[in-house]
Amino acid sequence: PNRDMYISLDQHGVSGLEFDPDVGDRVVNGIVSSLAAGTEMIHRRRTADYLSVSMAKFLKLYQNEPITRAWKERIYNAVVDFLEREKSRQPWPYVNEFIVDIDSVNNRTDEGRGLFQILTRVRIPASARYIVLLSQIGPSVIITEQEAAL
């Protein structure tokens, strides 16, 4: 395979393995969650699926219990605790920031029908798809000391 083949795969939303002599085999990160080119990156979709499925699994434990204030607090705390653990995951956290809302999305009518909703808003880390190295190298380059921004 050559570089043009990997570019073609990327343009069609397919990921491929590429051999880099400095680091070995690596996945060329062009995979998306759709066959249509230019659509959502799979990293975001897989992270969303992981977080949603994980929360759904442990929230099953709260099903069929009476909807009380204490129950709402337990459910809220369970979701917050899970997202906090994902936020502190090392070396790569799945979560940067999040908000959990159970107040604005629920009302007594829905609760009376047994429906309880939990709204989570989660910001995840971006993938480093492109790393651009800008260099000025030569005998006439002017060097000044300055702090690098991180």
Side-chain angles (χ1 to χ4, degrees):
N2 61 36
R3 187 72 186 147
D4 290 337
M5 294 170 100
Y6 290 112
I7 291 170
S8 177
L9 286 171
D10 181 55
Q11 290 171 341
H12 290 89
V14 178
S15 180
L17 280 178
E18 177 180 61
F19 179 75
D20 182 318
D22 296 323
V23 295
D25 289 318
R26 67 187 188 104
V27 174
V28 179
N29 190 11
I31 190 166
V32 295
S33 61
S34 170
L35 295 177
T39 56
E40 176 180 311
M41 293 301 297
I42 197 71
H43 165 74
R44 195 218 65 83
R45 178 74 261 148
R46 284 188 177 160
T47 302
D49 289 347
Y50 164 73
L51 293 173
S52 297
V53 168
S54 297
M55 287 186 282
K57 282 182 181 179
F58 70 76
L59 288 173
K60 286 181 186 179
L61 299 172
Y62 298 90
Q63 221 171 356
N64 297 321
E65 291 184 25
I67 300 175
T68 64
R69 188 71 211 154
W71 179 86
K72 291 177 187 181
E73 288 173 11
R74 287 197 328 270
I75 247 185
Y76 175 86
N77 289 334
V79 172
V80 168
D81 289 347
F82 169 75
L83 291 172
E84 282 292 343
R85 281 193 308 277
E86 294 303 322
K87 186 176 176 181
S88 62
R89 176 190 288 267
Q90 293 300 323
W92 299 289
Y94 286 153
V95 172
N96 278 351
E97 295 179 67
F98 66 89
I99 292 175
V100 178
D101 178 10
I102 62 170
D103 294 322
S104 72
V105 293
N106 290 295
N107 59 56
R108 289 183 181 194
T109 303
D110 287 342
E111 289 178 13
R113 293 183 307 175
L115 173 65
F116 187 78
Q117 301 177 77
I118 304 162
L119 173 63
T120 59
R121 292 193 172 119
V122 180
R123 187 161 56 87
I124 62 172
S127 298
R129 288 197 66 202
Y130 308 103
I131 299 174
V132 178
L133 176 63
L134 304 173
S135 300
Q136 294 180 349
I137 302 169
S140 62
V141 172
I142 299 171
I143 307 292
T144 59
E145 300 255 345
Q146 63 183 17
E147 244 184 84
L150 290 181

